Amino acid sequence: MTSPAPANPDEELRGSKAALGISMAEARELVADLAPRRAWIYWTDLVVSLTIGYGAFFLCPADRLASPLGIGCVLVAGFALYRAVLFVHEIVHAGDELRWFSVFWHAVCGIPMFVPKFFYDLHQDHHAARTYATAQDGEYVPYARWPWWRLCLLPLTALVAGPLFVLRFLVLAPLGWLVPPLRRWLLERASALVIDAEFQRELPGGKAPRSWLAQEALCFGYTLALAALFVAGAYPAARLLEAHLVIAVFVFVNWVRVLAAHRYESDERPMTFPEQVLDSIDHPGFPLLGELWAPLGLRLHAMHHLFPALAYHRLPEARRRLASAVASDGGYWATEDPSLFASLKRLLTKPRDTAQPAQKEPA
């Protein structure tokens, strides 16, 4: 989904120049040759991530999860599989360009990790100027207005992520196939990877595409198979606990990443494109550590919002080119934070506006 054309394109370009230090026409020309995705990087990265993740999972002494080896394996598996899961972000942005990669990713990661692509298809609304930071953007909440203690509780919801995924696909999915009202509620309120608890998903054409049903059915079949193996004694309870902990690790880390991805200072009205970019945050420092908590280029989140169609492996080069074209005091560089800690500290300690926020645009 693309943003609607501005009423006056020239005015929009001048606005970008003033706000970011470069017009969008100049910025696009700067990275035009970076558009092609390198398929071999995707395949290699995913296979290596899965090999490390699943390897650590099955090498983990499930009966000694509290041991140093057990803790280490759970953490390694959690971070590696977190990286693998986040390829859904690239798949959504790439469209048909990663078609067969998407099929493979679903088979070895998306379905086993309970994150089918249809849960994330709506992500493009997070980039559209008409929906960013509005009620139609389930990936944005004005957290800068929240009390710090509520923000600290959000990552702790990772502790119930695994059981909720199982409940969604093993119990509620088949019930929904039999009970139409429940089915619609599931699709609208429990079928999207979002952070806004009040978000209600709009169904394309008023009904769910067949691809959604296929992905949901595969998740149900996979979960049912695991349940059958558990009942038969072929899948020990200790291994299920390990799986729960691994999922909790990567959901927890993802929550931390989400809290550091934007400034979340919106007044809940639509933002212009430059405002959307400046509301996002780059973390160029500590790149190796950044690839752990914000993999696949997501540590350069403002750069991703500036060039959402660019592949993750192109973002560092795009940023280097931008540095040569935009003065050091150019507006874009206001997106840079020195560390993850600095971003979280600003969000948690920012003075709260006690005024009532403006109402979100209706969905």
Side-chain angles (χ1 to χ4, degrees):
M1 184 181 299
T2 58
S3 303
N8 188 333
D10 290 335
E11 183 178 343
E12 173 73 9
L13 291 178
R14 286 196 298 271
S16 296
K17 181 86 172 183
L20 303 176
I22 188 171
S23 73
M24 283 312 301
E26 294 169 332
R28 293 189 187 103
E29 184 179 355
L30 197 66
V31 301
D33 63 311
L34 300 180
R37 299 173 188 274
R38 294 176 176 171
W40 69 269
I41 292 181
Y42 281 86
W43 286 95
T44 302
D45 197 337
L46 178 61
V47 169
V48 170
S49 298
L50 289 172
T51 300
I52 294 174
Y54 286 136
F57 180 83
F58 287 109
L59 288 175
C60 179
D63 57 338
R64 293 182 290 112
L65 289 175
S67 68
L69 179 59
I71 294 172
C73 285
V74 167
L75 291 176
V76 170
F79 277 99
L81 293 176
Y82 171 50
R83 184 180 185 90
V85 164
L86 282 185
F87 271 103
V88 68
H89 179 256
E90 289 291 311
I91 290 169
V92 167
H93 276 289
D96 290 339
E97 194 176 350
L98 294 178
R99 181 179 179 183
W100 290 111
F101 178 85
S102 176
V103 172
F104 178 77
W105 175 86
H106 264 102
V108 298
C109 184
I111 302 304
M113 295 290 112
F114 309 113
V115 283
K117 175 178 171 287
F118 85 91
F119 266 35
Y120 204 56
D121 279 337
L122 75 172
H123 173 67
Q124 296 289 10
D125 291 338
H126 181 57
H127 289 273
R130 70 180 183 275
T131 50
Y132 180 86
T134 70
Q136 294 168 286
D137 181 4
E139 296 182 54
Y140 195 100
V141 174
Y143 286 140
R145 298 178 181 273
W146 281 32
W148 65 268
W149 60 268
R150 285 187 65 189
L151 295 175
C152 291
L153 291 177
L154 290 174
L156 298 182
T157 60
L159 296 174
V160 297
L164 287 179
F165 282 136
V166 172
L167 175 66
R168 167 63 178 83
F169 290 112
L170 183 61
V171 179
L172 297 181
L175 285 177
W177 299 335
L178 300 174
V179 183
L182 174 60
R183 173 72 174 157
R184 188 169 190 86
W185 181 88
L186 283 174
L187 293 175
E188 292 180 343
R189 305 301 295 251
S191 296
L193 296 175
V194 295
I195 61 175
D196 184 354
E198 299 179 2
F199 178 74
Q200 182 169 327
R201 186 172 193 177
E202 184 177 339
L203 303 184
K207 61 180 181 179
R210 291 182 180 179
S211 61
W212 291 19
L213 176 60
Q215 293 170 42
E216 186 180 55
L218 287 171
C219 286
F220 166 71
Y222 171 78
T223 314
L224 182 63
L226 284 183
L229 290 173
F230 174 72
V231 171
Y235 202 86
R239 193 64 77 183
L240 279 180
L241 176 59
E242 181 193 354
H244 165 66
L245 293 175
V246 167
I247 291 174
V249 166
F250 70 67
V251 173
F252 180 91
V253 176
N254 189 60
W255 262 118
V256 173
R257 178 194 66 80
V258 165
L259 292 175
H262 296 284
R263 297 180 187 276
Y264 298 109
E265 297 174 356
S266 167
D267 60 0
E268 302 186 338
R269 292 189 179 93
M271 290 184 175
T272 65
F273 181 77
E275 288 173 336
Q276 177 189 146
V277 173
L278 293 173
D279 186 56
S280 307
I281 302 174
D282 276 352
H283 295 90
F286 311 102
L288 293 181
L289 182 61
E291 281 300 307
L292 287 179
W293 66 267
L296 304 185
L298 290 175
R299 65 186 181 86
L300 303 179
H301 205 65
M303 183 62 55
H304 169 62
H305 273 264
L306 183 63
F307 303 119
L310 279 188
Y312 75 97
H313 57 84
R314 300 291 199 180
L315 294 179
E317 174 59 23
R319 197 171 193 277
R320 284 190 287 270
R321 294 185 184 185
L322 196 69
S324 66
V326 179
S328 59
D329 59 348
Y332 176 82
W333 305 116
T335 65
E336 182 176 318
D337 269 358
S339 67
L340 168 64
F341 176 77
S343 298
L344 296 177
K345 180 181 179 181
R346 180 184 58 247
L347 182 64
L348 293 173
T349 61
K350 183 181 184 297
R352 266 43 184 176
D353 184 358
T354 56
Q356 194 69 17
Q359 291 299 310
K360 277 190 175 184
E361 292 292 312

